[in-house]
Amino acid sequence: MDFHRPETLAEALEIKAERPASVPLAGGTDLMVAINFRESRPEAILDLTAVPELCEWSPDDGRVRVGAGVTYTRLIEELGDRLPGLAIASRTVGSLQIRNRGTVGGNLATASPAGDGLPPLYTADAFVELASVRGTRRVPVAEFVTGPKRTAIEPDELIAAFDVASAAGPQQFAKVGTRNAMVIAVCSVALALWPEERRVAACVGSAGPMPLVATEAEEFIGGALDWDGGGAIPDEALVRFGELVAGCARPIDDVRGTARYRSHAVDVLARRTLQWTWSEYP
Ligand SMILES: Cc1cc2nc3c(=O)[nH]c(=O)nc-3n(C[C@H](O)[C@H](O)[C@H](O)COP(=O)(O)OP(=O)(O)OC[C@H]3O[C@@H](n4cnc5c(N)ncnc54)[C@H](O)[C@@H]3O)c2cc1C
């Protein structure tokens, strides 16, 4: 197995263009597991950990551009104020060791339906920046993830960064697992309030082939909340919201839970995250 360790993004892109079958390595917390279990035997590894451009983040006109190689630990420590939903989700990923190595770039490229970094990106209008020697393109996250473990990355491309709208209101993320840490989510919900647009963004994770935006629930609750007065959410509206979010899930029965349980848990998480965010509003 060949091993490449470029020190600039330009160099990394040259190698990817010359060797499209080479497999990028960021934190290695997905890739090394696959190699150890012999699910993957790449002909070449493209180690991106020495590429400084991938490890930077910067604010950009109401948005934040985050390099694909920024770890969960750094996201939590450095971006918890600007991207609270993503930071809360990052805190639930693996263990401290996994968070010290793992990246949202890797989570995006793996595109697991259970990837915890993904739902908060959907609720913050994220774009994924794909780079190659041919140039750079920005793809909305919902178009980037094309199916379970499938993405729009071309063989000569790398994820350079993702960019997300800075929080304009409270955000939350909650997941259900069989224990408190180090588990794959049975289901999850990310939620973000965008008060200026009077919009609630909600996305369900791990209860379908890919993250699912709860469009009908979003439209319903955006019109039902007392945005001017901040009054309590009417019980009927809360119940309806939970039902609508659960209704957008496409859960399956598997070893982690039944479809019926997942739908119920999504309903509960949707109501809970809405109440949490609304209690912090305005
Ligand atoms: C013990 C354990 C617990 C875990 N717990 C969780 C959890 O709670 N929640 C969760 O969501 N995940 C969890 N994971 C999975 C994993 O940690 C995450 O998916 C993580 O985000 C992967 O990031 P990474 O940087 O380690 O990626 P890597 O393993 O380095 O790469 C993952 C994939 O992305 C590709 N890739 C990486 N960077 C780029 C790039 N810049 N451009 C293009 N392709 C790229 C790689 O080729 C590979 O296919 C866990 C893993 C372990 C081992």
Side-chain angles (χ1 to χ4, degrees):
M1 191 186 292
D2 292 337
F3 185 78
H4 301 277
R5 195 161 196 261
E7 293 185 0
T8 64
L9 182 57
E11 201 191 326
L13 297 177
E14 288 288 344
I15 298 168
K16 196 72 176 104
E18 278 164 27
R19 301 198 67 174
S22 63
V23 174
L25 172 87
T29 61
D30 276 327
L31 184 60
M32 294 314 296
V33 174
I35 291 175
N36 285 342
F37 279 97
R38 299 181 193 279
E39 289 162 10
S40 169
R41 191 71 194 161
E43 59 169 61
I45 297 272
L46 180 56
D47 177 3
L48 299 174
T49 55
V51 176
E53 295 97 315
L54 299 180
C55 303
E56 293 161 0
W57 67 262
S58 53
D60 183 11
D61 195 21
R63 297 181 67 84
V64 186
R65 181 183 179 277
V66 185
V70 173
T71 61
Y72 290 109
T73 296
R74 284 189 55 210
L75 262 160
I76 295 163
E77 288 174 359
E78 298 169 29
L79 287 166
D81 52 348
R82 290 180 163 92
L83 310 177
L86 186 58
I88 295 168
S90 299
R91 277 191 210 105
T92 76
V93 172
S95 60
L96 188 61
Q97 292 88 337
I98 296 295
R99 293 193 292 275
N100 281 344
R101 296 286 310 179
T103 64
V104 175
N107 210 234
L108 276 164
T110 295
S112 159
D116 290 318
L118 305 185
L121 297 183
Y122 282 67
T123 59
D125 302 325
F127 284 77
V128 182
E129 192 179 306
L130 295 170
S132 71
V133 290
R134 295 175 285 119
T136 299
R137 60 188 179 117
R138 272 173 90 242
V139 181
V141 68
E143 289 170 30
F144 172 80
V145 179
T146 54
K149 301 203 170 182
R150 286 206 307 271
T151 71
I153 305 180
E154 294 293 339
D156 65 342
E157 286 180 321
L158 293 173
I159 303 174
F162 59 92
D163 69 86
V164 199
S166 289
Q171 300 186 347
Q172 274 296 344
F173 172 85
K175 79 182 188 192
V176 170
T178 44
R179 61 178 187 164
N180 213 12
M182 295 284 282
V183 283
I184 301 175
V186 172
C187 64
S188 68
V189 170
L191 197 132
L193 300 188
W194 299 98
E196 261 189 37
E197 302 148 50
R198 302 189 165 213
R199 181 164 73 92
V200 175
C203 181
V204 175
S206 214
M210 60 189 96
L212 298 165
V213 175
T215 313
E216 204 184 336
E218 291 181 348
E219 281 164 12
F220 164 74
I221 201 69
L225 291 174
D226 175 14
W227 293 98
D228 293 325
I233 308 167
D235 284 346
E236 323 76 75
L238 196 58
V239 169
R240 184 76 190 125
F241 178 68
E243 286 169 357
L244 287 172
V245 176
C248 93
R250 285 153 52 196
I252 53 165
D253 292 328
D254 69 9
V255 286
R256 295 198 302 279
T258 61
R260 195 155 160 250
Y261 174 72
R262 282 194 164 96
S263 291
H264 170 72
V266 166
D267 179 342
V268 172
L269 292 185
R271 282 183 278 133
R272 209 172 272 175
T273 50
L274 180 63
Q275 280 176 308
W276 288 339
T277 50
W278 196 247
S279 70
E280 292 170 37
Y281 174 81

